Amino acid sequence: MDDLDKSILTILQRDFPLERNPFDVVGRKLGVSGEEVHLRVVRMKEEGIIRRIGGIFDREALDWSGTLCAARVPEDRLDDFVSAVNALPGVTHNYRRNHEYNVWFTLLAPSREEIDSILDSIRRKTGVDDIIDMRAVRTFKINAAFDL
Amino acid sequence: MGENTEKLTEIEKRVAAVIETDVGDSADPFRKIAKRAGVDESTVLDIIRSFKERGVLRRFGAVIRHRRAGLTDNAMVVWAVPEEAIEHAGRLLAGRPEVTHCYERTPPFLGIYNLFTMVHGRSGSLKDIVAGLSSELDVQEFLVLESLEEFKKESMRYFDT
């Protein structure tokens, strides 16, 4: 990635032009053609630097509930547990982490009651009882736009 | 569906269902969205602007894979902060570009770690970043939870019916 790539990504993350030809607008800001910007976007998408282009909705504005879960999963149950958790549409992030609570995932659902019932069913299905869920009570920052 | 999801109009939900996916890399993304949602392009642009104004959309744009973009040193860092210091600590952490997410959570992890952050840095920089934050916050009790393996990472589909 060169400096122009980084400038393009910064604009496309934070200030994507809501115009019919957005890359022309970005090009004008950066002193290059819209075609140049578009070619680089296509390349960065191919390289996997850009995961997707689209909207990020606000969970709270949509009045959905969310939580972060940490589970203590024995190694011999890990594959089954991960498959069961990953199969849930409300799970968007799931990682193995360096702690005895070794599996950490986020879970979203339309209501708190549904989160509780999804977690109960995961416990029953996998035999993994030790899952703690930690609700956000205050949000200080959500910003998945990166300074490059 | 959460209550407010129902407050979107049918046309808004159709546009929402398209833009919560990957709209692709064409030179005219809003025309492509319009086609998929079955509305015209200016309606798509109006709806996205309105979503942003109403706070329904946090943002519209590129979502990057930070590791491939050079930010390879990342961790969840959880801090044990006294209740009366949470507001100050949360604001301080939120002000840092290396901190992309910061929440107070309950119950606290292991009974004490109540402030949760995602911290991102270039290769080899995380340790110093976290040490710096610790001394500034005057919080010595924290855990650096590194991701050893990614099992799933996706964007949420709220409108997938």
Side-chain angles (χ1 to χ4, degrees), chain A residues 38 45 51 96 98 138, chain B residues 22 25 63 87 146 148:
Chain A
H38 183 227
K45 196 112 187 296
R51 176 192 299 278
R96 182 208 289 263
N98 57 330
R138 238 184 303 184
Chain B
D22 181 10
D25 59 9
V63 179
E87 186 74 31
E146 291 162 49
L148 304 179

Side-chain angles (χ1 to χ4, degrees), chain B residues 86-149:
Chain B
I86 281 261
E87 186 74 31
H88 171 76
R91 285 171 190 274
L92 189 146
L93 289 165
R96 290 308 150 94
E98 302 92 347
V99 175
T100 55
H101 297 71
C102 181
Y103 305 92
E104 180 191 358
R105 293 187 177 278
T106 187
F109 182 55
L110 305 182
I112 59 168
Y113 300 101
N114 49 358
L115 197 58
F116 286 65
T117 53
M118 290 301 306
V119 183
H120 300 263
R122 304 199 168 272
S123 177
S125 64
L126 193 77
K127 212 173 158 226
D128 287 346
I129 294 171
V130 173
L133 294 173
S134 164
S135 86
E136 247 189 285
L137 291 173
D138 196 21
V139 172
Q140 278 72 46
E141 281 193 279
F142 59 88
L143 294 175
V144 178
L145 300 165
E146 291 162 49
S147 68
L148 304 179
E149 193 177 348

Side-chain angles (χ1 to χ4, degrees), chain A residues 1 6 9 12-23 38 41-42 45-64 66-68 70 78 82 85-99 101-104 106 108 110 114 132-148, chain B residues 1-5 16 19-30 41-42 45 48-49 51-52 55-66 68-69 71 75-76 83 86-87 90-91 94-97 99-110 115-116 118 120 122 143-156 158-159:
Chain A
M1 280 204 321
K6 289 180 188 174
L9 278 186
L12 293 184
Q13 287 185 91
R14 295 182 188 281
D15 198 18
F16 194 101
L18 298 178
E19 312 265 350
R20 283 168 194 270
N21 298 297
F23 303 127
H38 183 227
V41 168
V42 170
K45 196 112 187 296
E46 268 167 23
E47 290 172 354
I49 295 169
I50 299 177
R51 176 192 299 278
R52 71 179 181 102
I53 292 172
I56 298 176
F57 284 88
D58 188 275
R59 176 184 64 72
E60 286 181 41
L62 296 176
D63 204 24
W64 276 48
T67 194
L68 173 70
L78 189 69
V82 168
V85 167
N86 282 2
L88 299 166
V91 170
T92 54
H93 298 62
N94 187 10
Y95 292 93
R96 182 208 289 263
R97 296 195 182 276
N98 57 330
H99 195 271
Y101 282 88
N102 50 346
V103 179
W104 291 69
T106 55
L108 307 180
E114 280 171 77
I132 36 184
D133 86 286
M134 296 162 283
R135 271 173 285 169
V137 285
R138 238 184 303 184
T139 301
F140 292 102
K141 188 177 195 179
I142 317 176
N143 181 16
F146 293 89
D147 287 318
L148 298 169
Chain B
M1 285 282 186
E3 186 191 346
N4 291 338
T5 317
I19 65 174
E20 72 178 356
T21 67
D22 181 10
V23 307
D25 59 9
S26 75
D28 51 1
F30 301 109
E41 191 175 6
S42 58
L45 288 164
I48 293 175
R49 287 192 195 106
F51 279 166
K52 284 180 76 172
V56 171
L57 264 183
R58 282 215 308 274
R59 64 184 183 91
F60 181 93
V63 179
I64 68 166
R65 285 190 178 83
H66 47 82
R68 297 215 189 157
L71 297 170
M76 178 187 288
E83 185 53 43
I86 281 261
E87 186 74 31
R91 285 171 190 274
R96 290 308 150 94
V99 175
T100 55
H101 297 71
C102 181
Y103 305 92
E104 180 191 358
R105 293 187 177 278
T106 187
F109 182 55
L110 305 182
L115 197 58
F116 286 65
M118 290 301 306
H120 300 263
R122 304 199 168 272
L143 294 175
V144 178
L145 300 165
E146 291 162 49
S147 68
L148 304 179
E149 193 177 348
E150 179 182 293
F151 297 128
K152 188 176 187 184
K153 175 124 168 62
E154 283 179 5
S155 294
M156 185 58 197
Y158 295 99
F159 301 94

